[in-house]
Amino acid sequence: MSFPLLTVTAAVPAVGAILTAAVPAARRTAAKWLALLVSLATLVLAGLVFARFEPGGERYQLTESYAWIKDFGVRYELGVDGIGVALIALTALLIPFVILAGWHDADPSPSSSSRGYPKDRVDKRWRPTQGFFALILMVEAMVILSFEATDVFLFYILFEAMLIPMYFLIGGFGDRAHAGSDENAAAQRSYAAVKFLLYNLVGGLIMLAAVIGLYVVAGNFSLTEIAGARANGSLEIATSTERWLFLGFFFAFAVKAPLWPLHTWLPNAMGEATAPVAVLITAVVDKVGTFAMLRFCLGLFPEASKWATPMIVVLALISIVYGALVAVGQRDIKRLVAYASISHFGFIILGIFAMTSQGQSGATLYMVNHGISTAALMLVAGFLISRRGSRLIADYGGVQKVAPVLAGTFLIGGLATLSLPGLAPFVSEFLVLVGTFARYPVAGVIATTGIVLAALYTLVLYQRTMTGPVKEEVRRLPDLRPRELAVVVPLIALLILLGVFPKPLTDVVNPAVRHTMSDVQQKDPQPEVEAAK
């Protein structure tokens, strides 16, 4: 039996989460270092997965399959294609930066007493630091395993289970930079966490009905077996049944993504969470939704996917324009980044359902590049907010004169968000637009307005916070510290590297995209060229 590399890659952060939670309360620093070392070990394992994957080989590689619930045909079945490999690498890459950036986010503070524990008893009765980092590692384990799962039921369990640690990270470890009393801040965090949970649970329950329906018509939960049976004609699903099943899966993924009009939980969650947890939400967890659209919606329901494409393209365009327009008017830095992410997810979904190889390759690259660029921008914004104690844009001004390195890294993160040529997101956004123009030129034209609006909200944000007269409250703000530079510099280096040399990613992703295009029996439109007279 070959070494179960995929299982071990997901098991290491899961075991690390248990060990981190078990660290004695008085040894908070030990818990932090343990969590960081576990995340680095996971990164090494993810690197091995990337290195062992052969782009020209079988569609699903490093496969593992074990009987789980025999009576219902449920198996512990894993395998990765190029898209899954890229997203596993992204997840494993970001978690060490999330941990480093949140190094002090769960340290006891005077506000800890507002949670019901006297200040001198916080460490004895509640272990926030251990819990915070253990929850992050548990989310990492579940997300990685969801990218590996090729059993639909196993994927569903992971898809729902990751909501639990995220709920506690949002509601129990929220942002301390909150206007108003501790009681009001706690109420806002609780509201955001419950809204996040309810939206995703409703989507998950609808998906559960579709999963059961799929089992009824297919007799098992194996993605590879069902897709293979559909391809060779041995499994036929009635058109109306396929469409209902597709809608059940797609609704859950659209909530997670998030797609307009199912997006409203995201600004609340990102606004009330700490900056590292906000990165975990939009750069890691939300990618499960768009990944699943490619793997399950298109792979299991190709005809229904083509039937729903016009509707989904319209929703994606609304997300692009609406998210960007609302971002322009935001007064809260973190909510601005949240609405910008809604716009970006619109681009990703547009690329997926453009049904072209350029669009789907661009959408996959967009998932990776958006994760890196949003992490860079949000984490620098978090460092800024922690210094001033406010998320409001109006409370800043002239920061570049007192903290030039912070301002410079914030600018690069912002330029990546607006897809400046030379930075990684430009490549993916360009491919999405090329792929969209090839099949839906009107949709491509509308989508380009998102680029203009992105430049507007990004540059206005920088102008209002970093330039102009130095406000008295920011006059003594320190510049980035060594730990913060260790977070930001590698992310910026990656943005530049993948902006000028995306080939390592495209080589892995393109074969998987060709398989997906084959699933839906689509070919790229041929350009119309007039014959020479």
Side-chain angles (χ1 to χ4, degrees):
M1 182 181 296
S2 60
F3 180 72
L5 181 58
L6 297 184
T7 294
V8 173
T9 303
V12 166
V15 173
I18 297 171
L19 296 176
T20 301
V23 172
R27 306 194 64 183
R28 292 189 299 272
T29 302
K32 297 175 184 179
W33 280 106
L34 176 60
L36 180 60
L37 290 174
V38 168
S39 69
L40 291 174
T42 307
L43 177 58
V44 171
L45 290 168
L48 289 175
V49 172
F50 195 95
R52 289 187 58 184
F53 183 81
E54 298 178 8
E58 296 291 328
R59 179 173 187 176
Y60 294 106
Q61 300 179 31
L62 307 175
T63 55
E64 302 172 31
S65 183
Y66 309 96
W68 184 15
I69 309 175
K70 291 185 179 180
D71 292 342
F72 295 99
V74 180
R75 300 184 64 82
Y76 176 80
E77 194 171 79
L78 307 181
V80 288
D81 60 2
I83 299 169
V85 166
L87 293 175
I88 289 169
L90 170 70
T91 302
L93 174 72
L94 290 181
I95 296 301
F97 298 124
V98 167
I99 291 173
L100 268 178
W103 200 252
H104 298 298
D105 283 358
D107 288 348
S109 68
S111 63
S112 297
S113 60
S114 67
R115 295 185 173 100
Y117 301 112
K119 297 176 188 177
D120 61 344
R121 298 180 65 187
V122 168
D123 291 342
K124 296 179 181 179
R125 298 193 57 182
W126 189 49
R127 294 183 288 181
T129 301
Q130 289 85 338
F132 180 74
F133 292 105
L135 289 170
I136 290 175
L137 290 175
M138 189 57 69
V139 171
E140 179 183 23
M142 292 178 180
V143 170
I144 288 176
L145 201 55
S146 69
F147 292 142
E148 299 171 345
T150 56
D151 183 277
V152 177
F153 189 81
L154 174 61
F155 174 83
Y156 172 76
I157 294 296
L158 297 164
F159 187 81
E160 291 293 275
M162 68 180 69
L163 301 178
I164 299 171
M166 288 306 307
Y167 169 80
F168 289 108
L169 284 169
I170 297 168
F173 301 92
D175 194 352
R176 293 171 180 170
H178 196 289
S181 63
D182 284 346
E183 291 76 11
N184 181 53
Q188 292 294 325
R189 288 196 299 269
S190 177
Y191 172 78
V194 170
K195 189 173 183 179
F196 161 82
L197 188 64
L198 288 178
Y199 267 66
N200 284 275
L201 278 178
V202 170
L205 289 173
I206 293 174
M207 180 182 170
L208 177 60
V211 169
I212 294 172
L214 179 66
Y215 176 76
V216 170
V217 298
N220 66 77
F221 292 104
S222 172
L223 171 68
T224 54
E225 289 184 17
I226 296 173
R230 298 217 65 190
N232 63 30
S234 60
L235 173 63
E236 295 184 1
I237 302 177
T239 300
S240 59
T241 302
E242 180 179 345
R243 290 177 180 179
W244 281 111
L245 293 177
F246 168 86
L247 291 174
F249 277 78
F250 179 79
F251 183 86
F253 303 153
V255 172
K256 183 84 80 180
L259 177 69
W260 184 94
L262 306 172
H263 67 284
T264 58
W265 62 267
L266 183 65
N268 295 102
M270 288 184 65
E272 297 304 325
T274 62
V277 173
V279 169
L280 196 62
I281 295 169
T282 191
V284 176
V285 172
D286 287 354
K287 299 301 187 300
V288 176
T290 47
F291 163 80
M293 291 178 189
L294 279 165
R295 172 166 284 189
F296 296 102
C297 286
L298 272 61
L300 294 173
F301 315 111
E303 294 303 321
S305 298
K306 290 186 283 188
W307 162 77
T309 288
M311 173 189 68
I312 296 171
V313 167
V314 170
L315 294 178
L317 291 174
I318 294 174
S319 288
I320 291 170
V321 178
Y322 169 82
L325 280 173
V326 178
V328 171
Q330 286 302 303
R331 297 182 296 172
D332 183 310
I333 296 174
K334 291 168 71 177
R335 288 178 70 89
L336 185 152
V337 178
Y339 280 106
S341 289
I342 292 169
S343 181
H344 294 149
F345 275 103
F347 276 107
I348 294 171
I349 296 170
L350 179 65
I352 292 172
F353 285 90
M355 298 293 183
T356 60
S357 58
Q358 301 97 328
Q360 291 185 359
S361 293
T364 305
L365 290 178
Y366 215 131
M367 293 185 221
V368 176
N369 295 334
H370 170 264
I372 299 171
S373 62
T374 299
L377 180 62
M378 178 59 84
L379 293 179
V380 176
F383 298 149
L384 177 66
I385 291 167
S386 66
R387 285 160 164 73
R388 173 68 177 82
S390 173
R391 307 196 311 246
L392 298 178
I393 296 172
D395 289 340
Y396 296 89
V399 173
Q400 67 180 10
K401 297 177 182 176
V402 297
V405 177
L406 187 153
T409 53
F410 188 84
L411 177 61
I412 296 174
L415 293 176
T417 298
L418 63 83
S419 300
L420 183 77
L423 297 176
F426 170 76
V427 179
S428 45
E429 194 164 280
F430 177 78
L431 285 173
V432 166
L433 290 173
V434 168
T436 303
F437 271 112
R439 197 177 293 278
Y440 304 107
V442 174
V445 171
I446 297 172
T448 56
T449 61
I451 302 175
V452 179
L453 292 171
L456 180 61
Y457 62 68
T458 300
L459 296 178
V460 168
L461 172 64
Y462 184 84
Q463 179 190 34
R464 292 178 178 174
T465 55
M466 302 296 165
T467 65
V470 179
K471 290 199 172 184
E472 187 61 34
E473 295 83 359
V474 304
R475 192 171 297 278
R476 293 183 176 83
L477 291 186
D479 214 334
L480 291 182
R481 302 180 178 93
R483 172 180 61 84
E484 296 164 337
L485 286 171
V487 172
V488 176
V489 171
L491 292 174
I492 291 176
L494 274 172
L495 288 173
I496 297 172
L497 176 63
L498 294 177
V500 298
F501 188 62
K503 189 174 184 297
L505 273 180
T506 56
D507 286 348
V508 170
V509 165
N510 286 341
V513 167
R514 285 195 290 271
H515 284 297
T516 304
M517 290 287 290
S518 176
D519 288 340
V520 292
Q521 298 179 350
Q522 291 278 30
K523 295 182 179 180
D524 291 331
Q526 295 300 313
E528 297 181 4
V529 180
E530 292 186 9
K533 295 182 180 180

